[in-house]
Amino acid sequence: MKRTALLLFALALPACGSSYAQQGPSDTLRAYAQALQEGRVDAAYRLLSDEAKRSMSLEAFRRAVRDNPDDALEIARAIARPAADPVVTATVTMPNGEELLLVFEGGRWRLDAAAVDLYGQATPRQALVGFLRAFERRRYDVIMRYVPDAEREGLVEPAGAAPDEAGAPAEASSARGGESPAQPAGPGAAPPGAGADAAQKPGGRPGTVKAAADAGQLTPEKLKSAWEGPQKEQINRVVQAIKAALPTATIEETGDSASMAYGAGGTVAFTREHGVWKIKDF
């Protein structure tokens, strides 16, 4: 089933080639479908992108078609009848890790609307780039857009604040010599290995972004006071680590959750709320 799925999802327009450069996406789709329907497996394989070919050899492609002939024909029939005209797009990654989408229209490449959205949240990467841009400009009002609803409203208790076996808060246990959390949860976490105090959130306590607000609802003013006050050194260290990792980092998405590794074991956790991506932890 995995190989059969690749027949559909690995399809991409060739980047070059004299015979295909003059064709549009619909032409290539029809050629691919016709090749599969006629059993010309090698011809269909030649229409795959270089990346698709690297993920599946010609022999593996032949075997997938041979072992799943009905599925291959079903895919071919579906491809031959697209529901709408294909839209050709390209993604360009900038040096800072930001991605720009281009759309091929009227014989020319044009920038997508996301290029003018400085604080977008359409994808986890766009949300992280927007957050970093807002942080650099000290736009705490904008940073609030990236905070999940529960944490904005002060509904999430700091991690480690649950009572231990003796009924005392876990923070107190840690102060008595207990181990600090191996994976602190929440924005503002310093990268692992950055020092003894880095095992905790800025402000000296593990927890979510709610730790920046002593109590109650989080506001831009409370966030500014914390991140430009006692938490300044640690939050700057975290941000620099994320910025260094972003250009080459891979962001894994699963449903309404996503994550990106950075530094020596740090992780940015994303969540999707109301159709936009927010930053849950880092």
Side-chain angles (χ1 to χ4, degrees):
M1 289 300 292
K2 181 179 179 181
R3 287 176 176 167
T4 302
L6 281 173
L7 296 177
L8 176 59
F9 295 113
L11 178 63
L13 292 175
C16 59
S18 59
S19 60
Y20 302 125
Q22 306 302 318
Q23 295 184 346
S26 295
D27 298 318
T28 302
L29 286 171
R30 284 192 294 268
Y32 180 80
Q34 186 174 358
L36 284 179
Q37 289 173 329
E38 296 176 355
R40 294 183 290 109
V41 180
D42 289 14
Y45 185 81
R46 286 195 294 270
L47 291 171
L48 298 180
S49 68
D50 290 342
E51 182 179 356
K53 291 175 183 175
R54 284 192 293 269
S55 67
M56 175 177 273
S57 67
L58 174 58
E59 183 55 38
F61 186 82
R62 289 170 176 165
R63 185 166 56 252
V65 175
R66 183 181 63 245
D67 294 346
N68 305 277
D70 293 339
D71 292 339
L73 288 176
E74 181 180 347
I75 290 170
R77 287 192 292 269
I79 289 176
R81 299 189 304 275
D85 291 335
V87 176
V88 182
T89 63
T91 302
V92 178
T93 302
M94 309 299 287
N96 65 353
E98 184 173 0
E99 292 184 345
L100 295 179
L101 180 67
L102 293 91
V103 181
F104 195 70
E105 294 179 341
R108 294 185 178 184
W109 287 102
R110 304 179 188 274
L111 289 169
D112 183 68
V116 298
D117 189 356
L118 299 179
Y119 303 108
Q121 294 174 262
T123 66
R125 185 176 295 272
Q126 192 179 46
L128 187 55
V129 169
F131 169 83
L132 294 174
R133 180 178 284 119
F135 179 82
E136 289 176 350
R137 290 161 174 74
R138 299 298 187 259
R139 290 291 307 277
Y140 293 100
D141 58 323
V142 175
I143 290 176
M144 293 295 295
R145 302 180 190 175
Y146 301 98
V147 180
D149 291 353
E151 298 185 13
R152 286 171 59 106
E153 300 301 323
L155 301 179
V156 178
E157 290 300 321
D164 59 15
E165 292 181 356
E171 290 179 84
S173 297
S174 183
R176 292 194 301 266
E179 295 183 359
S180 58
Q183 178 61 46
D197 61 341
Q200 293 183 326
K201 290 289 184 283
R205 57 187 288 193
T208 64
V209 72
K210 183 176 179 289
D214 295 334
Q217 187 174 22
L218 181 65
T219 66
E221 292 73 26
K222 289 180 179 179
L223 199 57
K224 179 180 180 179
S225 177
W227 284 7
E228 293 188 10
Q231 302 178 10
K232 183 175 181 179
E233 181 180 349
Q234 291 177 337
I235 189 65
N236 285 340
R237 184 162 57 236
V238 171
V239 167
Q240 291 306 313
I242 293 174
K243 287 177 64 177
L246 183 57
T248 57
T250 298
I251 298 180
E252 303 288 345
E253 290 187 40
T254 305
D256 289 333
S257 299
S259 63
M260 186 197 88
Y262 72 91
T267 301
V268 180
F270 305 85
T271 185
R272 183 160 48 193
E273 290 184 343
H274 316 301
V276 298
W277 287 95
K278 299 182 180 182
I279 299 172
K280 184 177 181 181
D281 302 314
F282 61 66

